[in-house]
Amino acid sequence: CHTHSAKAGQGMNVSMQDGWNLAWKLGYVLEGLSPESLLETYSDERQVTAKNLIDFDREWSTLMAKKPEEFDSPSELEDFYVQTAEFPAGFMTQYTDSMLTGGAEHQDLASGFPIGKRFKSVMTTRVADAVDVHLGHHHRADGRYRVYAFADRDGTRLDAWAEWMLSSPESPVQRFTPLGADIDSVFDVKAVYQQEHHGVDISRVPKLFLPLSGPFQLIDYEKIYAAKPGEDIFDIRGVSRDGAVIVVRPDQYVAHILPLDAREELADFFAR
């Protein structure tokens, strides 16, 4: 529990993230997907955020209480607000290396998706119906991990990665999806291609991205995206043209970034 003033309106964003952080972890433990030790990460992660919030609030409240003549410069209050704008918006939190957050060895593969921080969405085009959508807006609060597979230039490395994910007993999908459950019940795996949507032949896309789901086992076509001309997600978020795998936690924080050929590392990360 943490208490602070109402100034800057940061309380709702922080408290909702507290709740979401705990909720998905409780779900994983209760469903038998993770050991109880997962719950210890709630305090490890959110206590740091709570302290940062109280420290931020103390500094902000002090500034708000100052008289105009007490400021070192006319822009002091404005400068502080701009420098810390991510905090009240809920985007400044950054989790460090842990059982849930990978190291930064491959951060350069997607510099615009900082590991440990909230996944910042960008417009893309959904290939199946040519509708422009924010990639992150399809990240529903359903407890699943999102694995965004950004394709290499010709898609050959992506194809090989997708075949491993779908077929290898060592892949997270095969290892951790409950028997009899939909193939995307734990990991919602999406493909993002460098070409605009006309350049993606959906009939040649790996089956991993066209899973059968639901009681009638219908094909889910909403997992294949293309770069939107003029707002190329690869350029905007600094994603490597050689491709990259971006793992996003159920609470929308970036958990890891890996090359498409780092299969053992991906398996080891989820094995934690």
Side-chain angles (χ1 to χ4, degrees):
C1 176
H2 45 85
T3 306
H4 52 85
S5 77
K7 292 182 175 64
Q10 69 270 39
M12 183 181 70
N13 286 321
V14 174
S15 62
M16 289 175 75
Q17 288 183 42
D18 287 342
W20 202 354
N21 185 293
L22 181 58
W24 78 264
K25 294 170 182 178
L26 282 170
Y28 269 55
V29 172
L30 292 172
E31 291 179 358
L33 289 171
S34 295
E36 290 185 18
S37 58
L38 177 67
L39 300 180
E40 297 174 7
T41 66
Y42 170 68
S43 289
D44 292 342
E45 291 183 336
R46 299 309 296 177
Q47 188 170 10
V48 174
T49 301
K51 184 181 184 303
N52 291 341
L53 171 59
I54 292 168
D55 291 344
F56 167 85
D57 178 66
R58 184 179 293 112
E59 188 169 0
W60 178 246
S61 298
T62 300
L63 285 171
M64 291 290 287
K66 276 187 174 183
K67 297 177 181 179
E69 61 271 18
E70 294 175 342
F71 284 101
D72 294 332
S73 73
S75 65
E76 185 179 348
L77 186 65
E78 178 187 5
D79 292 343
F80 178 79
Y81 189 82
V82 170
Q83 291 165 8
T84 60
E86 275 194 327
F87 197 96
F91 281 97
M92 190 169 279
T93 298
Q94 185 165 15
Y95 300 135
T96 56
D97 194 352
S98 70
M99 68 182 291
L100 291 174
T101 308
E105 298 85 358
H106 301 290
Q107 180 67 77
D108 61 320
L109 293 177
S111 58
F113 291 117
I115 295 172
K117 297 191 76 172
R118 282 281 298 276
F119 181 85
K120 293 187 177 180
S121 185
V122 179
M123 289 294 290
T124 56
T125 304
R126 190 167 55 212
V127 174
D129 54 8
V131 171
D132 293 337
V133 295
H134 261 282
L135 185 63
H137 289 190
H138 275 212
H139 187 135
R140 298 180 176 90
D142 55 16
R144 291 184 293 174
Y145 266 87
R146 263 67 195 182
V147 181
Y148 295 99
F150 285 80
D152 48 317
R153 290 179 179 84
D154 62 7
T156 54
R157 297 177 68 200
L158 176 68
D159 290 350
W161 179 87
E163 177 62 29
W164 174 79
M165 282 285 280
L166 188 63
S167 304
S168 172
E170 300 300 318
S171 84
V173 169
Q174 288 297 329
R175 187 173 176 185
F176 300 115
T177 301
L179 188 64
D182 288 343
I183 197 68
D184 63 349
S185 62
V186 177
F187 302 101
D188 182 16
V189 188
K190 301 181 186 293
V192 185
Y193 287 89
Q194 298 185 29
Q195 298 81 3
E196 55 91 31
H197 75 278
H198 287 297
V200 180
D201 183 351
I202 203 168
S203 68
R204 297 175 62 86
V205 169
K207 295 300 182 185
L208 176 69
F209 308 118
L210 293 165
L212 304 178
S213 61
F216 301 108
Q217 291 294 281
L218 302 178
I219 297 175
D220 185 346
Y221 287 97
E222 296 193 352
K223 298 183 188 290
I224 306 164
Y225 298 82
K228 184 179 184 297
E231 296 181 58
D232 191 323
I233 188 171
F234 284 80
D235 290 337
I236 293 174
R237 290 289 176 259
V239 180
S240 170
R241 294 292 174 176
D242 292 328
V245 175
I246 300 179
V247 178
V248 183
R249 298 168 15 159
D251 54 2
Q252 293 191 356
Y253 282 82
V254 178
H256 211 1
I257 295 175
L258 291 166
L260 285 167
D261 55 5
R263 300 167 192 174
E264 184 176 345
E265 290 92 330
L266 183 63
D268 289 344
F269 176 74
F270 281 113
R272 303 179 190 184

